[in-house]
Amino acid sequence: MPHAAISPALRRLGAPSEIISSICSAYQQVSTTITHKGSKVHIKLKRGVKQVDPLSPFLFNAVMDPLLEQLEMLKGFHIDEKNTISSLAFADDLLMANTHEKAQTLLTHTEIYLESLRMRTAADKCASIEIRKIKDS
């Protein structure tokens, strides 16, 4: 998650400007040092959330919420005539659809949103599963 996405996400949620400023300043000078065989390289970090920081899950969710709202409007999996669900977002995102075409639409929409944040899916870590109703024997 790019640090530049934090401020717009917090503004979208109506956070006070003082809070936004404080959180963003905590991410302005984030860096790490890599040491190997006596050589040190200092790297400024511009992406990701801080590990073990209790605010990190909230920040990640704030940035991802617009995507989840958009996916729900696409009506992925029809539970019944009135209710649909397109994603179950917990740790890793899980998209749900009744057809391959709907699943592809949800995935394409997700990829476009992530690209707008200069993020991407890790396709080699992704999988799909198909669940079908079968006649009772």
Side-chain angles (χ1 to χ4, degrees):
M1 182 190 80
H3 297 165
I6 295 172
S7 180
L10 294 175
R11 278 196 308 275
R12 178 180 175 272
L13 294 174
S17 58
E18 298 82 12
I19 299 292
I20 295 171
S21 178
S22 178
I23 291 171
C24 290
S25 74
Y27 276 90
Q28 280 183 340
Q29 300 299 321
V30 179
S31 66
T32 190
T33 302
I34 299 174
T35 304
H36 179 69
K37 295 184 180 182
S39 296
K40 290 184 179 184
V41 177
H42 298 282
I43 300 170
K44 184 175 180 185
L45 302 176
K46 297 180 182 180
R47 317 178 65 72
V49 291
K50 296 177 180 181
Q51 297 298 308
V52 304
D53 182 343
L55 194 57
S56 293
F58 171 77
L59 295 175
F60 183 80
N61 288 344
V63 171
M64 290 297 131
D65 273 349
L67 170 62
L68 298 176
E69 290 170 5
Q70 293 167 19
L71 292 176
E72 285 305 310
M73 293 186 334
L74 295 174
K75 312 271 187 219
F77 181 82
H78 292 268
I79 298 169
D80 56 32
E81 291 180 14
K82 296 181 182 178
N83 300 296
T84 63
I85 187 168
S86 297
S87 64
L88 298 174
F90 180 78
D92 291 325
D93 293 329
L94 176 65
L95 302 176
M96 299 179 67
N98 288 79
T99 66
H100 172 76
E101 292 77 18
K102 284 184 183 179
Q104 187 60 55
T105 297
L106 296 174
L107 179 58
T108 300
H109 196 83
T110 299
E111 289 175 334
I112 290 169
Y113 181 81
L114 293 176
E115 285 174 14
S116 76
L117 296 174
R118 299 180 60 194
M119 297 172 69
R120 59 183 162 76
T121 59
D124 58 327
K125 295 181 182 181
C126 295
S128 65
I129 184 170
E130 180 178 9
I131 301 172
R132 294 187 203 190
K133 290 181 182 179
I134 59 171
K135 292 182 182 180
D136 292 341
S137 49

